[in-house]
Coordinates of all heavy atoms in Angstrom, one line a residue:
T69 N 69.6 -30.4 -34.4 CA 70.5 -30.8 -35.5 C 70.3 -29.9 -36.7 O 71.2 -29.4 -37.3 CB 70.5 -32.2 -35.8 OG1 70.7 -33.0 -34.6 CG2 71.6 -32.6 -36.8
V70 N 69.0 -29.7 -37.0 CA 68.6 -28.9 -38.2 C 69.0 -27.5 -37.9 O 69.5 -26.8 -38.8 CB 67.1 -29.0 -38.3 CG1 66.7 -28.0 -39.4 CG2 66.6 -30.4 -38.7
L71 N 68.8 -26.9 -36.7 CA 69.2 -25.6 -36.4 C 70.7 -25.4 -36.4 O 71.2 -24.4 -36.9 CB 68.7 -25.2 -35.0 CG 67.2 -25.0 -34.9 CD1 66.7 -24.9 -33.5 CD2 66.7 -23.8 -35.7
R72 N 71.5 -26.5 -36.1 CA 73.0 -26.4 -36.0 C 73.4 -26.3 -37.5 O 74.3 -25.4 -37.9 CB 73.6 -27.6 -35.4 CG 75.2 -27.7 -35.5 CD 75.7 -28.9 -34.7 NE 75.3 -30.1 -35.2 CZ 75.9 -30.8 -36.1 NH1 77.0 -30.3 -36.7 NH2 75.5 -32.0 -36.6
V73 N 72.8 -27.1 -38.4 CA 73.2 -27.0 -39.9 C 72.8 -25.7 -40.4 O 73.5 -25.1 -41.2 CB 72.5 -28.2 -40.5 CG1 72.7 -28.1 -42.1 CG2 73.1 -29.6 -40.1
E74 N 71.5 -25.2 -40.1 CA 71.1 -24.0 -40.7 C 71.9 -22.8 -40.3 O 72.2 -21.9 -41.1 CB 69.6 -23.8 -40.2 CG 68.8 -23.0 -41.1 CD 69.1 -21.5 -41.0 OE1 69.4 -21.1 -39.8 OE2 68.8 -20.7 -41.9
H75 N 72.5 -22.9 -39.1 CA 73.3 -21.7 -38.6 C 74.7 -21.8 -39.2 O 75.3 -20.8 -39.4 CB 73.4 -21.8 -37.0 CG 72.3 -21.0 -36.4 ND1 72.5 -19.7 -35.9 CD2 71.0 -21.2 -36.3 CE1 71.3 -19.3 -35.4 NE2 70.4 -20.2 -35.6
K76 N 75.2 -23.0 -39.4 CA 76.6 -23.1 -39.8 C 76.8 -23.0 -41.3 O 77.9 -22.6 -41.8 CB 77.2 -24.4 -39.3 CG 77.6 -24.5 -37.8 CD 78.4 -25.6 -37.3 CE 78.8 -25.5 -35.9 NZ 79.7 -26.5 -35.5
T77 N 75.8 -23.3 -42.1 CA 75.9 -23.2 -43.5 C 75.8 -21.8 -44.0 O 74.9 -21.1 -43.4 CB 74.9 -24.1 -44.2 OG1 73.6 -23.9 -43.8 CG2 75.3 -25.6 -44.2
T78 N 76.6 -21.3 -44.9 CA 76.6 -19.9 -45.3 C 75.6 -19.6 -46.3 O 75.3 -18.4 -46.6 CB 78.0 -19.5 -45.6 OG1 78.4 -20.3 -46.7 CG2 79.0 -19.6 -44.5
R79 N 75.1 -20.6 -47.1 CA 74.2 -20.4 -48.1 C 72.8 -20.9 -47.7 O 72.7 -21.7 -46.8 CB 74.6 -21.2 -49.5 CG 75.8 -20.7 -50.1 CD 76.3 -21.5 -51.2 NE 75.2 -21.6 -52.2 CZ 74.6 -22.9 -52.5 NH1 75.1 -24.0 -52.0 NH2 73.7 -23.0 -53.4
D80 N 71.8 -20.4 -48.4 CA 70.4 -20.9 -48.0 C 70.1 -22.1 -48.8 O 69.4 -22.2 -49.8 CB 69.4 -19.8 -48.4 CG 69.5 -18.5 -47.6 OD1 70.1 -18.6 -46.5 OD2 69.2 -17.4 -48.1
I81 N 70.7 -23.2 -48.3 CA 70.6 -24.6 -48.9 C 69.3 -25.2 -48.5 O 69.1 -25.4 -47.3 CB 71.8 -25.4 -48.5 CG1 73.1 -24.7 -48.9 CG2 71.7 -26.7 -49.3 CD1 74.3 -25.3 -48.4
P82 N 68.5 -25.8 -49.4 CA 67.4 -26.5 -49.0 C 67.7 -27.6 -48.1 O 68.7 -28.4 -48.4 CB 66.7 -27.0 -50.4 CG 67.2 -26.0 -51.3 CD 68.6 -25.6 -50.9
I83 N 66.9 -27.9 -47.1 CA 67.1 -28.9 -46.1 C 66.0 -30.0 -46.2 O 64.8 -29.8 -46.1 CB 67.2 -28.4 -44.7 CG1 68.4 -27.5 -44.6 CG2 67.3 -29.4 -43.6 CD1 68.4 -26.6 -43.2
L84 N 66.5 -31.3 -46.3 CA 65.6 -32.4 -46.1 C 65.9 -33.0 -44.8 O 66.9 -33.5 -44.6 CB 65.8 -33.4 -47.3 CG 65.0 -34.8 -47.1 CD1 63.6 -34.6 -47.0 CD2 65.4 -35.8 -48.1
A85 N 64.9 -32.9 -43.9 CA 65.2 -33.2 -42.5 C 64.5 -34.5 -42.2 O 63.3 -34.7 -42.4 CB 64.6 -32.1 -41.6
I86 N 65.3 -35.4 -41.7 CA 64.9 -36.8 -41.3 C 64.9 -36.9 -39.8 O 65.9 -36.7 -39.1 CB 65.7 -37.9 -41.9 CG1 65.6 -37.8 -43.4 CG2 65.3 -39.3 -41.4 CD1 66.7 -38.6 -44.2
N87 N 63.7 -37.1 -39.2 CA 63.6 -36.9 -37.7 C 64.3 -38.1 -36.9 O 63.8 -39.3 -37.1 CB 62.1 -36.9 -37.4 CG 61.9 -36.7 -35.9 OD1 62.6 -36.0 -35.2 ND2 60.8 -37.3 -35.4
M88 N 65.3 -37.8 -36.1 CA 65.8 -38.7 -35.1 C 65.9 -37.9 -33.8 O 66.9 -37.9 -33.1 CB 67.1 -39.2 -35.6 CG 67.0 -40.3 -36.5 SD 67.8 -41.8 -35.9 CE 67.5 -42.9 -37.2
G89 N 64.9 -37.1 -33.5 CA 64.8 -36.3 -32.2 C 63.6 -36.6 -31.5 O 63.0 -37.6 -31.6
T90 N 63.3 -35.7 -30.5 CA 62.2 -35.9 -29.6 C 60.8 -35.6 -30.4 O 59.9 -36.4 -30.4 CB 62.3 -35.1 -28.4 OG1 63.6 -35.4 -27.7 CG2 61.2 -35.4 -27.4
L91 N 60.8 -34.3 -30.8 CA 59.5 -33.9 -31.4 C 59.7 -33.8 -33.0 O 58.9 -34.3 -33.8 CB 59.2 -32.5 -30.9 CG 58.5 -32.6 -29.5 CD1 58.3 -31.1 -29.0 CD2 57.2 -33.2 -29.5
G92 N 60.7 -33.1 -33.4 CA 61.0 -33.1 -34.8 C 60.0 -32.3 -35.6 O 59.6 -32.6 -36.8
F93 N 59.7 -31.1 -35.1 CA 58.7 -30.3 -35.8 C 59.3 -29.7 -37.2 O 58.5 -29.5 -38.0 CB 58.4 -29.0 -35.0 CG 57.1 -29.3 -34.1 CD1 57.3 -29.4 -32.8 CD2 55.9 -29.3 -34.6 CE1 56.1 -29.7 -32.0 CE2 54.8 -29.5 -33.9 CZ 54.9 -29.7 -32.5
L94 N 60.6 -29.6 -37.3 CA 61.2 -29.2 -38.5 C 61.4 -30.3 -39.5 O 61.8 -30.1 -40.6 CB 62.6 -28.5 -38.1 CG 62.5 -27.3 -37.3 CD1 63.9 -26.7 -37.0 CD2 61.6 -26.2 -37.9
A95 N 61.2 -31.5 -39.1 CA 61.5 -32.6 -39.9 C 60.3 -33.0 -40.9 O 59.2 -32.9 -40.4 CB 61.9 -33.9 -39.1
E96 N 60.6 -33.5 -42.0 CA 59.5 -33.8 -42.9 C 59.4 -35.4 -43.0 O 58.3 -35.8 -43.4 CB 59.9 -33.3 -44.3 CG 59.0 -33.8 -45.5 CD 57.6 -33.0 -45.4 OE1 57.4 -32.2 -44.6 OE2 56.8 -33.2 -46.4
V97 N 60.4 -36.1 -42.6 CA 60.5 -37.5 -42.9 C 60.9 -38.3 -41.7 O 61.7 -37.8 -40.9 CB 61.5 -37.8 -44.1 CG1 61.6 -39.3 -44.3 CG2 61.1 -37.1 -45.3
E98 N 60.1 -39.4 -41.5 CA 60.5 -40.4 -40.4 C 61.6 -41.3 -40.9 O 61.6 -41.5 -42.1 CB 59.3 -41.1 -39.8 CG 58.3 -40.2 -39.1 CD 58.9 -39.5 -38.0 OE1 59.7 -40.1 -37.2 OE2 58.6 -38.3 -37.8
P99 N 62.4 -41.9 -40.0 CA 63.6 -42.7 -40.4 C 63.1 -43.9 -41.4 O 63.8 -44.1 -42.5 CB 64.1 -43.3 -39.3 CG 63.8 -42.3 -38.2 CD 62.4 -41.7 -38.6
A100 N 62.0 -44.5 -41.3 CA 61.6 -45.6 -42.1 C 61.2 -45.1 -43.5 O 61.1 -45.9 -44.5 CB 60.3 -46.3 -41.5
E101 N 61.0 -43.8 -43.7 CA 60.6 -43.3 -45.0 C 61.8 -42.6 -45.8 O 61.6 -42.1 -46.9 CB 59.5 -42.1 -44.8 CG 58.3 -42.6 -44.0 CD 57.5 -41.3 -43.5 OE1 58.0 -40.3 -43.3 OE2 56.3 -41.5 -43.4
T102 N 63.0 -42.8 -45.2 CA 64.1 -42.1 -45.7 C 64.4 -42.3 -47.3 O 64.5 -41.4 -48.0 CB 65.4 -42.5 -45.0 OG1 65.2 -42.2 -43.5 CG2 66.6 -41.8 -45.5
F103 N 64.5 -43.5 -47.6 CA 64.9 -43.9 -48.9 C 63.7 -43.6 -50.0 O 64.0 -43.4 -51.1 CB 65.5 -45.2 -49.1 CG 66.7 -45.3 -48.4 CD1 66.8 -45.8 -47.1 CD2 68.0 -44.9 -48.9 CE1 68.1 -45.9 -46.4 CE2 69.2 -44.9 -48.3 CZ 69.2 -45.5 -47.0
F104 N 62.5 -43.8 -49.5 CA 61.4 -43.4 -50.3 C 61.4 -41.9 -50.6 O 61.3 -41.4 -51.8 CB 60.1 -43.8 -49.6 CG 58.9 -43.4 -50.4 CD1 58.5 -44.0 -51.7 CD2 58.0 -42.5 -49.9 CE1 57.4 -43.5 -52.3 CE2 56.8 -42.1 -50.5 CZ 56.5 -42.6 -51.8
A105 N 61.7 -41.1 -49.5 CA 61.8 -39.6 -49.7 C 62.9 -39.3 -50.6 O 62.7 -38.4 -51.5 CB 62.0 -39.0 -48.4
I106 N 64.1 -39.9 -50.5 CA 65.2 -39.5 -51.3 C 64.8 -39.9 -52.8 O 65.3 -39.1 -53.7 CB 66.5 -40.2 -50.8 CG1 66.9 -39.7 -49.5 CG2 67.6 -40.1 -51.9 CD1 68.1 -40.4 -48.8
S107 N 64.2 -41.0 -53.0 CA 63.9 -41.4 -54.4 C 62.9 -40.2 -55.0 O 63.1 -40.0 -56.2 CB 63.1 -42.7 -54.4 OG 64.0 -43.7 -54.0
R108 N 62.0 -39.8 -54.2 CA 61.1 -38.7 -54.7 C 61.9 -37.4 -55.0 O 61.7 -36.7 -55.9 CB 60.1 -38.4 -53.7 CG 59.0 -39.5 -53.5 CD 57.9 -39.2 -52.6 NE 57.1 -38.0 -53.1 CZ 56.0 -37.6 -52.5 NH1 55.6 -38.1 -51.4 NH2 55.3 -36.5 -53.1
V109 N 63.0 -37.2 -54.2 CA 63.8 -35.9 -54.5 C 64.5 -36.2 -55.8 O 64.5 -35.3 -56.7 CB 64.9 -35.8 -53.4 CG1 65.9 -34.8 -53.8 CG2 64.1 -35.3 -52.1
L110 N 65.1 -37.3 -56.1 CA 65.9 -37.6 -57.2 C 64.9 -37.6 -58.5 O 65.4 -37.3 -59.6 CB 66.5 -39.0 -57.2 CG 67.5 -39.2 -56.1 CD1 68.1 -40.6 -56.1 CD2 68.6 -38.1 -56.1
E111 N 63.6 -37.9 -58.3 CA 62.6 -37.8 -59.4 C 62.1 -36.3 -59.6 O 61.3 -36.0 -60.4 CB 61.5 -38.8 -59.1 CG 61.9 -40.2 -59.2 CD 60.8 -41.1 -58.6 OE1 59.7 -40.6 -58.3 OE2 61.1 -42.3 -58.6

Side-chain angles (χ1 to χ4, degrees):
T69 306
V70 173
L71 290 169
R72 175 173 66 88
V73 170
E74 206 279 333
H75 272 256
K76 287 193 172 185
T77 48
T78 56
R79 294 175 52 240
D80 296 333
I81 304 170
I83 295 172
L84 173 60
I86 299 167
N87 182 32
M88 278 241 180
T90 304
L91 285 172
F93 269 105
L94 300 177
E96 176 73 356
V97 176
E98 293 302 318
E101 306 166 329
T102 299
F103 293 96
F104 176 67
I106 292 174
S107 295
R108 291 185 66 177
V109 166
L110 298 179
E111 293 168 2

